Amino acid sequence: MEIRRGIAVSPGIAIGPALVMDTEGVRIRTTSVPPDQVPAEADRLRVAVAAARVEAERKQRVLAEKFGEEIGSIFEAKGGLYQDEHLIAGIEGLIRANQFSAEYAVSRHIRGVVKRLDAASHMPQAVRLRGDFIDFERGLLALLGGDQRTPLPAVAEPVVVLANDLTPNETAELDTNLVHALATESGGATSHTAILAGALEIPAVVGVGPFLTDVSGADVVIVDGNNGYLILDPDEPTLARYQEARRLERTKSGEHRVTSRNVPAVTRDGVRLTMLGNIEFPGEARHCLDRGAEGVGLYRTEFLYIHKSEDPTEEDHFKAYRAVLEEIGPDKPVVVRTLDLGGDKFANATGRAAQEKNPFLGLRSVRLCLRNLPLFKTQLRAILRASIYGDLRIMFPMIATVMELRQCKSILREVQEDLEESGIPFKPDVPVGTMIEVPSAALVADVLAKQVNFFSIGTNDLVQYTLAADRNNEAVADLYNAADPAVLRLMDLVARAGQAAGIEVNVCGEMSGEPVFAPLLVGLGIRQFSATPRKIPDIKRVVSKLTVPDCERLAAECLRMETASEVTRYLRDYTRRILPEAAD
Ligand code: PEP
Ligand code: MG
């Protein structure tokens, strides 16, 4: 058994056979064969090796003809592995000794070799050899697999997905009836992949570090999304403990959901807060209501780009927004955020983004929209048309300067005029807000506050841009911390600017869904939270234990602290005192 620690990004426990993703999504279905099939399995291996050798020789000839002998000889080296009798005998030995299937034996043996090469990665040959062995494994699995090569969306049986990384697109495609959890080697707590795992409500752990060489497809693994553990090859007692924990968890989460639905978020001293949900797809509007949300505080509309090679039409936008408004009902707000494309989200789907060296600092979000007015106006027309179906509000993301906000508002006015001229109905007084997720916007929040009806603090990006720590990069995960005093000071500035201007200040980053931060946010004057729907019941329970004066004292104390770890410790201790189970 091996226990690996990563970043817990979506709670819950899952136990199941691994679906190990490499870049080609090869899947190993069977780990073992009946004893009488062992000789046939060894033959299957030998046949596949012979075929792979022929293919490698063919590639070598083609490359040599095209680019010369020197390039061709690269393939000669790779193809050499198929002639390495010692290597092939080692794989065959696993089949004969353990009744492994040929695929599983290949994977187990090669992953062992790769692991040893990783340990020697200071040697340049080790890096090259690693690549050769991975290619060798892939080539053989492809040949052995025949029709078993299964791309991720076509998974047919329940699995736990293990990958180096998954794109938001791949994550969104997961069929949660079959994919029970995911764990990745890379990624950070607020990467969009992590956020989507939360939205899909499957346990997830990211940023585990290298583990794919230690696991083969179909091995049983445990993903503990509550504590951030990935457990490979669990022993019997561990398996039994987790099975019991999973059973208890299912019962508990059903009870919470029911109690939270009709209970408002009110502090112990009677201050009413508003709990809203974050969504990526129209279907999640129902999750929001089920979990007791009082509307949608952030609709990430860029997810309309999933599976699209072309831009969604005005009608596509309109239908999605109307569906959400109709589901949520006329009296609850739905904050539609304009497209936040770029960064890690569907940069290629737009067909516009040249390969940017630094996409999070590049043509992302409103920057992209302001340079592509047809794209922007199409969306704004659809949003305005949908506005008559409920309490819709518009929000602009990634605003970095006052000029950008002015430009966005002026385009919105143009679209309103166009609709008016065409006699198309819309609500003329739709509230307009801006996200505060870039430090420059936080610093001029007093100016921005005069020009909008509400703020929404996007802590996911605010943390990354304030601390210059990529939200997707596990290597800087210790630096990326919402509890950092620099982040808190900016949030304090924004909250006070909002109060002075008399506008609502919402927090819609992942921070708002973490129970330990609730006292701090209330103390900073935040009265509206928008979080992944499944987090709402827990936040409501913490809120019910708070009083505003205590929270204000706590926030003042935190703002005086010097380091993120001091703040974190303090908030954990506080939460542990008021509601022990919410502190971890
Ligand atoms: C944020 O940055 O906090 C946010 C809510 O937006 P996103 O996670 O979509 O970037
Ligand atoms: Mg953001």
Side-chain angles (χ1 to χ4, degrees):
M1 176 167 86
E2 282 200 53
I3 302 179
R4 301 297 178 86
R5 185 92 202 237
I7 306 167
V9 293
S10 180
I13 291 165
I15 304 166
L19 166 54
V20 180
M21 299 292 302
D22 59 20
T23 48
E24 288 181 273
V26 174
R27 176 176 184 204
I28 298 167
R29 280 171 190 256
T30 1
T31 53
S32 60
V33 293
D36 60 338
Q37 266 184 39
V38 165
E41 209 57 18
D43 286 349
R44 221 158 61 79
L45 171 73
R46 293 282 171 178
V47 170
V49 169
R53 188 163 59 213
V54 171
E55 176 59 15
E57 283 163 6
R58 190 191 63 79
K59 271 193 189 144
Q60 185 205 339
R61 270 198 314 278
V62 172
L63 282 179
E65 274 165 26
K66 234 173 163 174
F67 304 109
E69 288 300 329
E70 216 169 313
I71 303 277
S73 65
I74 294 172
F75 256 89
E76 191 179 356
K78 281 182 193 285
L81 289 181
Y82 297 109
Q83 298 178 43
D84 184 336
E85 186 46 40
H86 183 68
L87 175 67
I88 311 299
I91 300 171
E92 191 177 332
L94 284 180
I95 299 177
R96 295 194 185 279
N98 306 301
Q99 298 168 27
F100 283 166
S101 68
E103 295 91 325
Y104 191 60
V106 168
S107 181
R108 281 297 287 253
H109 195 76
I110 299 305
R111 273 150 207 270
V113 173
V114 168
K115 195 173 177 194
R116 291 200 293 283
L117 287 169
D118 281 345
S121 60
H122 51 283
M123 293 157 61
Q125 314 88 296
V127 178
R128 186 183 53 72
L129 272 174
R130 184 188 200 280
D132 289 353
F133 275 100
I134 297 268
D135 282 350
F136 171 86
E137 179 192 12
R138 248 180 234 166
L140 273 186
L141 287 180
L143 283 162
L144 286 165
D147 62 359
Q148 292 178 8
R149 283 160 59 83
T150 314
L152 188 50
V155 170
E157 297 137 34
V159 287
V160 171
V161 168
L162 304 180
N164 172 264
D165 200 5
L166 290 172
T167 63
N169 218 337
E170 284 171 325
T171 312
E173 280 177 331
L174 298 176
D175 175 352
T176 51
N177 291 318
L178 297 172
V179 175
H180 288 185
L182 63 91
T184 59
E185 292 186 323
S186 42
T190 65
S191 61
H192 287 99
T193 297
I195 291 170
L196 278 171
L200 296 170
E201 307 201 346
I202 55 173
V205 178
V206 301
V208 177
F211 66 79
L212 290 177
T213 51
D214 296 326
V215 62
S216 295
D219 282 353
V220 169
V221 295
I222 299 173
V223 174
D224 174 353
N226 303 323
N227 302 299
Y229 291 123
L230 168 67
I231 303 176
L232 308 176
D233 194 15
D235 59 23
E236 277 306 319
T238 308
L239 206 52
R241 193 158 48 79
Y242 269 100
Q243 275 159 347
E244 178 59 9
R246 186 176 53 171
R247 198 186 57 73
L248 285 175
E249 199 175 68
R250 283 183 181 155
T251 327
K252 205 174 89 186
S253 94
E255 285 164 5
H256 272 170
R257 198 185 307 182
V258 173
T259 45
S260 146
R261 201 174 308 151
N262 304 315
V263 179
V266 184
T267 61
R268 194 150 58 81
D269 55 346
V271 176
R272 176 86 160 80
L273 308 187
T274 307
M275 291 289 142
L276 304 170
N278 292 349
I279 67 169
E280 289 73 32
F281 307 103
E284 288 176 273
R286 176 104 305 266
H287 290 195
C288 291
L289 298 177
D290 280 353
R291 305 299 158 106
E294 300 162 83
V296 172
L298 168 65
Y299 178 7
R300 292 182 164 101
T301 58
E302 55 280 2
F303 283 84
L304 282 166
Y305 273 73
I306 270 191
H307 306 311
K308 292 267 162 72
S309 52
E310 286 173 13
D311 294 343
T313 61
E314 182 181 321
E315 224 38 43
D316 294 334
H317 282 283
F318 171 73
K319 279 188 194 144
Y321 308 149
R322 191 172 79 175
V324 173
L325 287 160
E326 287 180 344
E327 183 72 56
I328 292 292
D331 310 324
K332 299 191 183 78
V334 172
V335 179
V336 178
R337 181 176 74 178
T338 60
L339 296 168
D340 186 28
L341 291 163
D344 61 345
K345 282 183 285 192
F346 318 119
N348 297 329
T350 64
R352 301 176 175 80
Q355 280 305 317
E356 292 187 296
K357 289 217 174 91
N358 221 336
F360 273 110
L361 299 182
L363 208 54
R364 175 185 171 191
S365 201
V366 287
R367 300 173 184 185
L368 189 78
C369 289
L370 288 170
R371 301 234 190 144
N372 292 278
L373 292 187
L375 168 96
F376 199 19
K377 286 186 169 181
T378 301
Q379 180 178 35
L380 291 174
R381 272 176 72 91
I383 295 176
L384 287 169
R385 280 174 54 207
S387 65
I388 56 173
Y389 294 92
D391 180 2
L392 184 149
R393 303 169 188 193
I394 300 179
M395 178 160 77
F396 298 117
M398 255 305 263
I399 293 290
T401 67
V402 175
M403 239 359 249
E404 275 176 339
L405 179 60
R406 284 196 195 144
Q407 284 172 327
C408 289
K409 286 182 63 182
S410 125
I411 308 282
L412 180 65
R413 267 193 305 275
E414 276 178 35
V415 176
Q416 285 171 326
E417 281 163 18
D418 288 349
L419 288 176
E420 220 163 68
E421 272 170 29
S422 320
I424 298 172
F426 65 94
K427 264 194 198 162
D429 53 352
V430 171
V432 174
T434 180
M435 289 199 64
I436 303 286
E437 52 183 346
V438 181
S440 58
L443 292 167
V444 294
D446 56 335
V447 186
L448 295 172
K450 295 190 192 111
Q451 306 183 25
V452 286
N453 303 104
F454 63 94
F455 279 162
S456 192
I457 306 180
T459 50
N460 303 339
D461 278 313
L462 188 63
V463 173
Q464 95 163 334
Y465 293 130
T466 302
L467 294 162
D470 182 345
R471 62 195 271 188
N472 292 328
N473 185 345
E474 72 285 0
V476 288
D478 53 344
L479 194 58
Y480 181 99
N481 194 333
D484 195 280
V487 176
L488 301 189
R489 286 188 196 194
L490 287 175
M491 292 182 71
D492 182 45
L493 209 59
V494 177
R496 283 191 283 121
Q499 275 153 20
I503 62 168
E504 191 69 66
V505 181
N506 174 57
V507 174
C508 66
E510 294 304 288
M511 186 183 191
S512 65
E514 292 199 34
V516 288
F517 284 121
L520 172 67
L521 296 182
V522 171
L524 290 174
I526 303 298
R527 297 291 177 265
Q528 201 179 81
F529 290 51
S530 190
T532 303
R534 78 185 297 186
K535 307 266 178 87
I536 290 175
D538 284 345
I539 301 297
K540 282 188 178 177
R541 280 188 319 134
V542 176
V543 165
S544 71
K545 307 281 178 196
L546 305 175
T547 68
V548 170
D550 280 354
C551 291
E552 285 173 349
R553 272 191 291 277
L554 172 140
E557 193 65 41
C558 289
L559 284 166
R560 279 193 290 272
M561 290 180 181
E562 294 181 0
T563 65
S565 48
E566 254 178 284
V567 174
T568 309
R569 214 174 312 121
Y570 185 72
L571 292 178
R572 263 218 185 104
D573 287 349
Y574 187 81
T575 312
R576 200 166 283 136
R577 279 201 302 280
I578 57 165
L579 189 66
E581 68 266 31
D584 299 318

